[in-house]
Amino acid sequence: MTSAWLLAALCAGLMACSPSAEGANAGSPAVEGAGDDTSARHPESGLAIIDLAVVSGDKRHTFRVELADTPQAQAKGLMFRTALGDNEGMLFPSDVPDIRSFWMKNTPIPLDIIFIGLENEVINIAANTEPYSLESVYSEGIASAVLELRGGRAAELGIKPGDRVTW
């Protein structure tokens, strides 16, 4: 009887330490469609794919971006990727807005790293970052999210600081 009681207590303790489905994403920004079993997933990363738009003047540029909404997904980012389409990217939302920094470790393609401020506006862009560089690029203020696009894409579309980003 003692071993059965110990097993039951151990199971109860493990269940109490596991994050609940409700609390697992507590504090994470809410993203419509993210986490749904029916939402689109990227075939390489397995991350949810969401719609994102950048409004630049009277132009609206739309993208399908991977949502890096866990520490593990944010640490990996676009490492080891050899291609990124014109209307693809990756979004890194922040649980706690702060000065953000990114590097290009293990990233073989140049990227435009777009820092997004508290009001969902572009605050600065690190354009055409150098592949494999270990030098960090920083937001020029508090960032609530970061968007990575194919290197040179922001300039091609005329995306600039002050543009609005929605997702």
Side-chain angles (χ1 to χ4, degrees):
M1 268 314 197
T2 305
S3 61
W5 182 84
L6 285 172
L7 181 59
L10 178 61
C11 288
L14 288 174
M15 287 180 11
C17 294
S18 300
S20 67
E22 186 177 323
N25 292 323
S28 296
V31 178
E32 189 174 319
D36 295 344
D37 290 339
T38 59
S39 66
R41 298 262 169 207
H42 190 273
E44 193 168 340
S45 69
L47 298 175
I49 298 174
I50 63 168
D51 294 322
L52 179 141
V54 179
V55 178
S56 183
D58 60 351
K59 295 184 180 175
R60 179 181 178 87
H61 309 289
T62 58
F63 301 92
R64 296 281 288 158
V65 300
E66 296 167 65
L67 181 62
D69 61 351
T70 67
Q72 297 80 10
Q74 290 196 10
K76 183 174 181 186
L78 290 168
M79 286 183 179
F80 310 108
R81 294 288 183 87
T82 57
L84 192 61
D86 285 350
N87 298 312
E88 298 175 339
M90 186 173 281
L91 181 68
F92 301 79
S94 297
D95 285 338
V96 179
D98 202 352
I99 301 290
R100 299 289 306 267
S101 67
F102 279 65
W103 63 356
M104 295 290 291
K105 181 178 182 180
N106 297 321
T107 307
I109 56 174
L111 298 173
D112 286 347
I113 301 176
I114 301 171
F115 296 95
I116 303 166
L118 297 173
E119 302 295 323
N120 287 355
E121 79 287 359
V122 173
I123 52 177
N124 68 294
I125 301 170
N128 273 312
T129 54
E130 181 182 339
Y132 299 107
S133 174
L134 299 181
E135 185 176 324
S136 292
V137 295
Y138 294 89
S139 61
E140 294 176 358
I142 303 297
S144 62
V146 176
L147 172 63
E148 292 181 340
L149 301 176
R150 175 183 57 76
R153 191 67 175 141
E156 290 171 9
L157 298 174
I159 296 172
K160 63 194 174 312
D163 289 352
R164 305 281 301 159
V165 184
T166 59
W167 66 89

